[in-house]
């Protein structure tokens, strides 16, 4: 039997206040934490390395050819929609850093895309600064707004795995690392299912990506959480149709090339 039940309750309440008060006060006094890019980096587990075979990349009869190696007629500079001014030589287009991103003149919803890219021999830098570019499957606004599948030299180049080549940037890690060496052409074959919106503008169904890197499956119909972002959490914003954009990342390392780009729209 307790002699002073009320007193002991009072003592407990007082003790609780005394213990918790300093925590509450110190949390209030701490400066607000700004989100940092490192908070959304994932480094483990590292996808296993798979040596790719050769791929058959010829455009099928019903494809829209976006780049056949000779002309940038289907492309414009993202900054101002003027004719795209990346260099075209030897059947490839190559990033010109001073020009910046380029994008398709046309806009798309869902599609199958084939695109080849090459990291130059003698690439320098490391991590995200080694051959960084990207294919924006839907470019939904200024700058790098949209949905990026990463282009990077990920052949024996460590970085956060949700940012390595083939990642859906900071959202989906590729199932394997099927990178070829710098200097060799590599291919993405991608099925992009655009997100849909309800009448009130909220999300109806998410975007889905299926992708092969050099013929090896790296994404098996994965649903996305929204647009890919450098800092913070992804979210969706409504769009109808969007161009495909190729990124000029602006690294000091040598420029990335693309070739043989074709697309089949999906109804
Ligand atoms: Mg990139």
């Amino acid at each position: 039997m307790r002699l002073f039940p009320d007193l002991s309750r009072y003592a407990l309440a007082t003790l609780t206040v005394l213990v918790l008060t300093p925590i509450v006060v110190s949390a209030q006094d701490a400066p607000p934490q700004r989100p940092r890019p490192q908070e959304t980096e994932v480094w483990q587990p590292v996808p296993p390395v798979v040596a790719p075979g050769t791929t058959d990349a010829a455009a099928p009869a019903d494809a829209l050819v976006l780049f056949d190696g000779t002309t940038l007629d289907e492309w414009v500079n993202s900054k101002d929609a003027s004719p795209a001014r990346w260099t075209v030589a030897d059947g490839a287009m190559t990033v010109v850093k001073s020009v910046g991103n380029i994008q398709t003149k046309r806009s798309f919803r869902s599609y199958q895309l084939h695109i080849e890219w090459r990291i130059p021999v003698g690439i320098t830098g490391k991590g995200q600064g080694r051959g960084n570019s990207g294919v924006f499957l839907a470019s939904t606004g200024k700058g790098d707004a949209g949905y990026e599948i990463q282009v990077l030299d990920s052949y024996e180049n460590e970085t956060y795995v949700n940012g390595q080549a083939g990642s859906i940037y900071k959202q989906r890690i590729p199932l394997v690392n099927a990178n070829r060496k710098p200097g060799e052409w590599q291919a993405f074959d991608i099925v992009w299912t655009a997100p849909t919106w309800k009448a009130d503008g909220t999300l109806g169904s998410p975007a889905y990506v299926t992708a092969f890197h050099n013929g090896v499956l790296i994404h098996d119909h994965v649903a996305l959480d929204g647009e890919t972002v450098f800092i913070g959490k992804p979210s969706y914003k409504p769009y109808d149709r969007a161009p495909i954009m190729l990124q000029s990342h602006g690294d000091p390392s040598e420029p990335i090339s693309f070739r043989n780009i074709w697309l089949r729209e999906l109804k």
Side-chain angles (χ1 to χ4, degrees):
M1 188 176 154
R2 299 160 76 184
L3 292 177
F4 305 105
D6 289 343
L7 181 61
S8 67
R9 255 206 302 275
Y10 174 78
L12 184 63
T14 305
L15 184 65
T16 304
V17 169
L18 286 175
V19 168
L20 289 182
T21 300
I23 297 172
V24 171
V25 169
S26 71
Q28 280 172 347
D29 288 351
Q33 297 290 308
R34 252 195 293 175
R36 297 179 309 131
Q38 291 82 358
E39 289 166 12
T40 46
E41 296 176 359
V42 178
W43 289 75
Q44 294 286 342
V46 177
V49 171
V50 173
T54 56
T55 56
D56 182 351
D62 65 349
L64 167 66
V65 175
L66 291 171
F67 180 63
D68 68 356
T70 64
T71 169
L72 290 176
D73 282 356
E74 289 285 342
W75 299 82
V76 293
N77 297 325
S78 296
K79 256 185 282 200
D80 55 7
S82 63
R85 287 188 294 108
W86 286 10
T87 56
V88 176
D90 302 326
M93 63 160 93
T94 299
V95 176
V96 175
K97 277 186 279 189
S98 61
V99 169
N101 301 338
I102 67 169
Q103 66 189 46
T104 55
K105 280 181 184 168
R106 304 179 203 229
S107 290
F108 307 101
R109 281 200 54 75
S110 301
Y111 56 78
Q112 171 190 352
L113 175 71
H114 176 90
I115 184 165
E116 298 176 22
W117 50 276
R118 184 182 60 191
I119 306 292
V121 171
I123 186 77
T124 57
K126 61 177 188 171
Q128 291 288 304
R130 186 175 169 89
N132 197 328
S133 180
V135 180
F136 282 73
L137 302 171
S139 172
T140 58
K142 285 195 176 359
D144 289 348
Y147 303 82
E148 180 186 15
I149 183 166
Q150 177 73 305
V151 169
L152 189 74
D153 176 22
S154 287
Y155 184 85
E156 299 177 350
N157 172 39
E158 189 185 27
T159 186
Y160 44 95
V161 294
N162 60 346
Q164 73 178 54
S167 65
I168 307 300
Y169 187 71
K170 286 191 167 177
Q171 282 193 46
R172 297 293 177 266
I173 299 162
L175 294 169
V176 297
N177 178 340
N179 280 258
R180 295 193 171 113
K181 290 178 188 167
E184 297 182 18
W185 283 100
Q186 314 203 42
F188 281 156
D189 286 280
I190 299 162
V191 180
W192 168 253
T193 305
T196 63
W197 319 99
K198 295 177 188 163
D200 64 0
T202 58
L203 186 68
S205 56
Y208 290 96
V209 175
T210 295
F212 297 83
H213 184 184
N214 298 326
V216 186
L217 184 70
I218 54 171
H219 297 293
D220 184 6
H221 195 64
V222 293
L224 304 191
D225 300 327
E227 298 190 356
T228 53
V229 289
F230 179 48
I231 297 175
K233 295 218 168 86
S235 63
Y236 279 103
K237 71 167 185 277
Y239 76 92
D240 180 24
R241 300 172 72 82
I244 294 167
M245 189 178 80
L246 304 180
Q247 186 184 42
S248 169
H249 194 263
D251 298 327
S253 48
E254 285 91 27
I256 315 309
S257 299
F258 295 88
R259 73 174 186 189
N260 191 21
I261 308 172
W262 53 261
L263 175 148
R264 298 177 60 252
E265 279 205 79
L266 304 174
K267 303 298 174 211

